[in-house]
Amino acid sequence: MHLDLLFDFLRFPSVSTDPARKGAVASCADWLRSRLAEIGLDAAIHPTEGHPVVLARNEHRPGRRTVLIYGHYDVQPEDPVAEWTSKPFEPELRNGVIYARGATDNKGQILAHILGVAETLKAKGELPVNLIFLIEGEEEIGSTHLEAFLAEHKSELQCDVIAVSDTGMVAPGVPTFTYGLRGIAALELRVAGPKTDLHSGIYGGAVMNPATALARLLATLHTADGQVAIPGFYEKVRPLEAWERESWSKLPCDDEMILSVTGAPALFGEAGYTSLERLWGRPTAEVNGIGGGFQGVGTKTVLPREAFAKLTFRLVPDQTPDEVLDGVSAHLRAASPAAVGLEIQRGHGGEPYITDPHSEFGKAAQRALVRAFPGKDVALIREGGSIPIINTFKRVLGVDTLLLGLALPDCAAHGPNENFPVANFEAGILLNQTLLEELARTA
Ligand SMILES: [Zn+2]
């Protein structure tokens, strides 16, 4: 029954980035609204300039906690289709694992919450909290219209806390509470030389090569032992707390695992920190792409007229994208050789996020996880990635978010053969019930 519903949900090719799928995205929103109404919630579709938002709520009563559960019904494109074992929008169950686009990210996880609510309503006739479901259709394309939607519906979305299941578990069966996310700041730089590509025999040696200048510039970003060498970069970085370092050192994910998952010949990072500390608690500077000059087969003796690189920086509390990009730009300008020009273009940014896992709501979330995964210790982690919407919630609605993800490290979200174990789906249904009960106890 639960699985039938999930399979129906997964059959919608609700790929938000594809204009040809606009109809499928809308049908998926309609289907979702009907399911929410069917279990007894007041559910409505809200059109936006992009894909619609689905909102649902029970009858709110004073004196109870108000909990907002956020999720998304849109999915990533299914490409490359040839690499899927079964069809991406025809869900298949193999060895207790559901294979389909969206199985983990995020249909399986948000439907688990809906079914948890359905179970509670069936058994008890009411929920222990005032509940709001906010399920959007544009998460995979940057939640473009969600901030405006939140601002516009601010009063009806007032809540005490937000819960989201769209992050990962450190290992199968290990209940995981994510209390921090890194932020991001992006920048592109272009090193400009002569007005056109030059013959490297005729001019090489007398005109500076922009590709060489770029390589020198990029080499100034780090020290040899992996520290970021941009002046002031670490100034606002909040040091890791002793309890974090202690508890992360006991998690069931070690360097061996990172080596095997990544296939890298060896691990490398900032001296003085473990891999998990580097991933979750320390900022980075990354070159995401680099280009310029001849890229074809064979040889071409050219001195390219320009070279470019795309950089992103992962940020931790209390860095801000603007301050970091100011520092990076000043550093690049100072380090750039005088014989070339330098153009810097700022890209998108997102602030880092952190909430106290030992707060009243954090402790309630931990109790809920222990009840949903009996006999297991809760892993308290941060993640290296960024979920900008979590900061938007904080900024617009003024509330913290509890990240209670059910995705496994090998769930293949965004890739071919995305999958979600039935066990995680069932655990998610139970987690919703224990979470609402534990949050109600904080009132
Ligand atoms: Zn995703």
Side-chain angles (χ1 to χ4, degrees), residues 72 74-76 104-106 139-140 166 413-414 418:
H72 63 95
D74 65 321
V75 297
Q76 286 275 322
T104 283
D105 179 16
N106 176 245
E139 196 274 346
E140 301 293 4
D166 199 17
H414 296 203
E418 180 176 349

Side-chain angles (χ1 to χ4, degrees), residues 84-108:
W84 285 76
T85 303
S86 52
K87 293 195 174 135
F89 296 108
E90 284 175 25
E92 208 173 274
L93 187 62
R94 300 197 293 272
N95 298 322
V97 178
I98 305 148
Y99 289 84
R101 168 58 80 234
T104 283
D105 179 16
N106 176 245
K107 288 174 172 173

Side-chain angles (χ1 to χ4, degrees), residues 222-227 234 266-275 278 284:
H222 296 91
T223 63
D225 68 356
Q227 270 212 324
Y234 293 100
L267 297 181
F268 175 74
E270 189 185 358
Y273 294 91
T274 66
S275 294
R278 291 166 180 166
T284 62

Side-chain angles (χ1 to χ4, degrees), residues 59-78:
E59 204 183 300
H60 288 197
R61 281 194 253 127
R64 301 198 301 187
R65 286 295 188 198
T66 301
V67 180
L68 187 150
I69 297 177
Y70 163 87
H72 63 95
Y73 65 86
D74 65 321
V75 297
Q76 286 275 322
E78 66 274 36

